[in-house]
């Protein structure tokens, strides 16, 4: 029988490919699809986004609680083993990975009234994506403790995400509002690949982990661990008490605020990136160059992240993220004073703004994993509750994903004087045909879009630098936390 001989890090990273090939297309095209193709009205758009905001904020901690609540109810003598926790996460991925692919398909075909479809598609897609992201991210904290090994896992994640992001290149060429057949066929093909990939690769990862676990603990089988996890609970923990503990976690609160701004900025860039290209660069660049800029802006962050991860090993994750915030503010200020008349400088800024912003996002799972370690140590937990911590940080930061299109469309209307829901030939269009405007109107519209482009990263960078300066889980404090958790894992293995 044919067997794949791959490392645990490679198996972990490969799952990122099957989510990135779909999620990047969702980020770019889902708003444009409903506004420009399905002609959703403004009221339905805002109601759908409001429902999405509520669901998007609540499902992370809800799913995290459902997944990890039993880990809070175990005494140290009867706690679930590391093996049980990993197997549980893999079983969730094998179920919800294929469902995530199905949820993606629902966006690209009209099958119900537009307003209802918008709300249902957003909530179904995000629910499945949340389960995938929650357990995939939690595995980073469950499979490794040391910063060096976690950066190895993250490196594999970045490599496969970069390959998956290449789907953006072809999508830009296939996206045609006049005929969506090729684009829809492309989306269906990617969804089928993701469906099969999740189902297959999770099984491979389970086998790889089982073999590596048995080689480390030859005298203790997986069956022993499963038996231990069935021991009766001796220590209860309610959602209310857990929430109180988290609210006393200073570093988690400062991180959540910083991450709220980061999530907003990442999704703002994704939602409005095509507008920046078309409005500010327009006929000055060829369609092929526009395709390259869009595609590279999605692929480059993952490739660049490999360099950032090396810097994290050398200088610490905190220092690298802090440097990226300063870089974001500095480049935005330079672009503001330079203006939008220098096309090649503008091309570089539009692409680099997204690359560095997304690069920061890719490092945050390392910080959350450190917060998992700190939570386990300061609250003397028998087992790390990774999904709960990842879910809670998402509860406090995920609203930025909904705020991005809402605040972005409001700012676009305010700065340009044109409502995207009324600017098209029929009822709405995300991208205004500026060639139909007079010279004075074109200049006014470009100035408004340019101000939107440079002002958002400046404000975001200032807020993030203030919050990040208050984050104390670094240096000697971080080393002590990791040593304490490693000691707990060794104790459990005895």
């Amino acid at each position: 029988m044919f067997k794949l001989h791959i490392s645990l890090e490679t198996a972990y990273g490969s799952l990122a490919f099957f989510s990135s090939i779909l999620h990047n297309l969702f980020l770019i095209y889902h708003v444009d699809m409903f506004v420009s193709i399905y002609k959703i009205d403004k009221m339905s758009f805002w109601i759908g986004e409001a429902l999405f905001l509520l669901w998007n904020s609540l499902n992370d901690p809800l799913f995290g609680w459902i997944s990890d609540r039993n880990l809070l109810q175990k005494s140290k003598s009867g706690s679930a083993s590391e093996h049980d926790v990993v197997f549980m996460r893999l079983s969730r991925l094998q179920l919800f990975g294929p469902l995530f692919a199905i949820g993606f398909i629902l966006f690209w075909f009209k099958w119900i009234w537009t307003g209802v479809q918008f709300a249902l598609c957003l909530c179904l897609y995000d629910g499945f994506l949340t389960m995938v992201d929650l357990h995939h991210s939690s595995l980073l904290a469950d499979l490794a403790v040391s910063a060096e090994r976690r950066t190895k896992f993250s490196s594999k994640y970045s490599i496969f995400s970069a390959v998956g992001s290449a789907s953006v290149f072809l999508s830009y060429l296939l996206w045609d509002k006049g005929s969506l057949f090729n684009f829809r066929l492309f989306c269906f093909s990617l969804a089928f690949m993701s469906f099969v990939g999740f189902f297959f690769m999770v099984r491979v990862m389970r086998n790889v982990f089982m073999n590596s676990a048995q080689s480390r603990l030859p005298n203790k089988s997986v069956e022993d661990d499963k038996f231990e996890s069935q021991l009766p609970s001796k220590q209860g923990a309610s959602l209310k008490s857990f929430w109180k503990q988290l609210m006393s976690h200073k570093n988690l609160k400062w991180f959540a605020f910083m991450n709220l701004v980061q999530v907003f900025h990442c999704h703002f860039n994704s939602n409005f990136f095509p507008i920046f290209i078309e409005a500010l660069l327009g006929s000055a660049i060829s369609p092929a160059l526009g395709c390259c800029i869009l595609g590279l802006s999605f692929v480059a962050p993952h490739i660049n992240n490999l360099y950032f991860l090396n810097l994290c090993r050398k200088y610490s994750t905190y220092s690298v993220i802090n440097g990226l915030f300063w870089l974001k503010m500095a480049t935005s200020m330079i672009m503001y004073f330079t203006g939008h008349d220098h096309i090649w400088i503008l091309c570089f800024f539009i692409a680099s703004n997204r690359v560095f912003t997304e690069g920061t996002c890719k490092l945050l799972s390392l910080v959350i994993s450190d917060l998992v370690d700190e939570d386990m140590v300061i609250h003397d937990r028998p087992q790390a509750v990774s999904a709960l911590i990842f879910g809670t940080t998402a509860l406090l930061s995920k609203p930025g994903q909904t705020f991005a299109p809402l605040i972005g469309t409001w700012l676009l209307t305010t700065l340009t004087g044109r409502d995207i829901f009324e600017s098209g030939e029929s009822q709405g269009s995300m991208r205004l045909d500026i060639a139909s405007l007079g010279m004075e109107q074109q200049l006014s519209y470009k100035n408004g879009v340019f101000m939107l482009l440079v002002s958002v990263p400046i404000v975001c960078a200032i807020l993030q630098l203030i919050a990040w300066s208050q984050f104390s889980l670094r240096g000697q404090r971080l080393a002590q936390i990791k040593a304490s958790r490693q000691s707990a894992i060794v104790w459990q293995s005895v």
Side-chain angles (χ1 to χ4, degrees), residues 416 418 434 437-448:
T416 65
R418 294 184 176 274
I434 61 174
L437 304 177
M439 293 300 296
E440 186 175 343
Q441 291 176 313
Q442 287 187 27
L443 182 60
S444 176
Y445 182 75
K446 284 186 176 182
N447 286 335

Side-chain angles (χ1 to χ4, degrees), residues 127-153:
F128 298 141
L129 176 64
T130 295
M131 287 298 286
V132 171
D133 279 349
L134 196 62
H135 290 287
H136 193 203
S137 300
S138 297
L139 283 173
L140 180 64
D142 295 329
L143 292 172
V145 175
S146 69
E148 182 177 358
R149 190 153 189 239
R150 281 178 178 171
T151 54
K152 288 182 180 179
F153 276 97

Side-chain angles (χ1 to χ4, degrees), residues 281-333:
L281 302 179
S283 58
I285 62 172
S286 65
L289 180 57
C291 172
C292 289
I293 293 175
L294 180 63
L296 286 173
S297 72
F298 278 84
V299 176
H302 302 291
I303 299 175
N304 209 34
N305 195 46
L306 298 174
Y307 174 67
F308 290 155
L309 288 170
N310 285 329
L311 292 179
C312 288
R313 296 188 189 103
K314 187 175 182 179
Y315 299 108
S316 83
T317 304
Y318 175 90
S319 299
V320 173
I321 293 176
N322 193 59
L324 286 171
F325 290 155
W326 280 108
L327 181 63
K328 176 165 63 176
M329 185 168 68
T331 55
S332 300
M333 292 292 293

Side-chain angles (χ1 to χ4, degrees), residues 20 93 109 178 196 209 268 334 445:
S20 63
L93 285 171
F109 300 89
V196 175
F209 175 75
F268 170 84
I334 292 172
Y445 182 75

Side-chain angles (χ1 to χ4, degrees), residues 157-363:
Y157 181 99
S158 296
I159 292 172
F160 281 98
S161 294
V163 177
S165 298
S167 62
V168 174
F169 286 97
L170 188 55
S171 72
Y172 187 84
L173 298 177
L174 295 176
W175 175 253
D176 181 1
K177 296 177 185 179
S179 176
L180 291 171
F181 176 80
N182 291 333
F183 179 79
R184 284 168 169 162
L185 181 62
F186 178 62
C187 289
F188 183 84
S189 301
L190 291 180
F192 179 77
M193 184 188 303
S194 179
F195 184 101
V196 175
F198 267 110
F199 186 81
F200 176 72
M201 283 308 301
V202 170
R203 296 187 64 174
V204 172
M205 187 174 179
R206 181 187 287 114
N207 292 333
V208 172
F209 175 75
M210 184 183 299
N211 293 334
S212 64
Q214 289 177 344
S215 65
R216 290 196 308 269
L217 299 172
N219 297 324
K220 187 175 183 180
S221 68
V222 174
E223 286 73 17
D224 293 332
D225 290 328
K226 291 182 178 179
F227 174 77
E228 289 179 3
S229 68
Q230 302 301 319
L231 292 176
S233 172
K234 298 181 182 179
Q235 176 179 314
S238 66
L239 179 60
K240 182 179 179 180
S241 63
F242 176 73
W243 183 255
K244 286 183 177 179
Q245 290 175 341
L246 289 185
M247 288 302 97
S248 66
H249 196 162
K250 174 187 172 184
N251 284 322
L252 187 144
K253 289 189 289 185
W254 282 114
F255 172 82
F257 176 76
M258 181 277 291
N259 196 26
L260 170 65
V261 181
Q262 187 66 24
V263 169
F264 166 83
H265 193 198
C266 285
H267 284 82
F268 170 84
N269 281 342
S270 298
N271 294 153
F272 294 92
F273 196 88
I275 294 180
F276 295 146
I277 292 179
E278 293 186 8
L280 297 175
L281 302 179
S283 58
I285 62 172
S286 65
L289 180 57
C291 172
C292 289
I293 293 175
L294 180 63
L296 286 173
S297 72
F298 278 84
V299 176
H302 302 291
I303 299 175
N304 209 34
N305 195 46
L306 298 174
Y307 174 67
F308 290 155
L309 288 170
N310 285 329
L311 292 179
C312 288
R313 296 188 189 103
K314 187 175 182 179
Y315 299 108
S316 83
T317 304
Y318 175 90
S319 299
V320 173
I321 293 176
N322 193 59
L324 286 171
F325 290 155
W326 280 108
L327 181 63
K328 176 165 63 176
M329 185 168 68
T331 55
S332 300
M333 292 292 293
I334 292 172
M335 191 71 249
Y336 172 76
F337 288 110
T338 302
H340 59 74
D341 295 328
H342 299 81
I343 297 299
W344 293 110
I345 297 177
L346 188 59
C347 284
F348 174 78
F349 175 76
I350 291 175
S352 63
N353 179 44
R354 175 174 164 76
V355 168
F356 292 131
T357 301
E358 288 293 325
T360 305
C361 287
K362 302 298 180 285
L363 299 177

Side-chain angles (χ1 to χ4, degrees), residues 384-429:
V385 285
S386 309
L388 264 173
I389 301 299
F390 274 91
T392 302
T393 57
L395 168 67
L396 302 174
S397 58
K398 269 286 189 74
Q401 184 174 344
T402 302
F403 291 154
L406 294 180
I407 296 177
T409 53
W410 172 73
L411 286 174
L412 186 63
T413 299
T414 302
L415 294 172
T416 65
R418 294 184 176 274
D419 192 337
I420 66 169
F421 296 97
E422 300 172 354
S423 61
E425 294 180 359
S426 176
Q427 196 171 13
S429 178

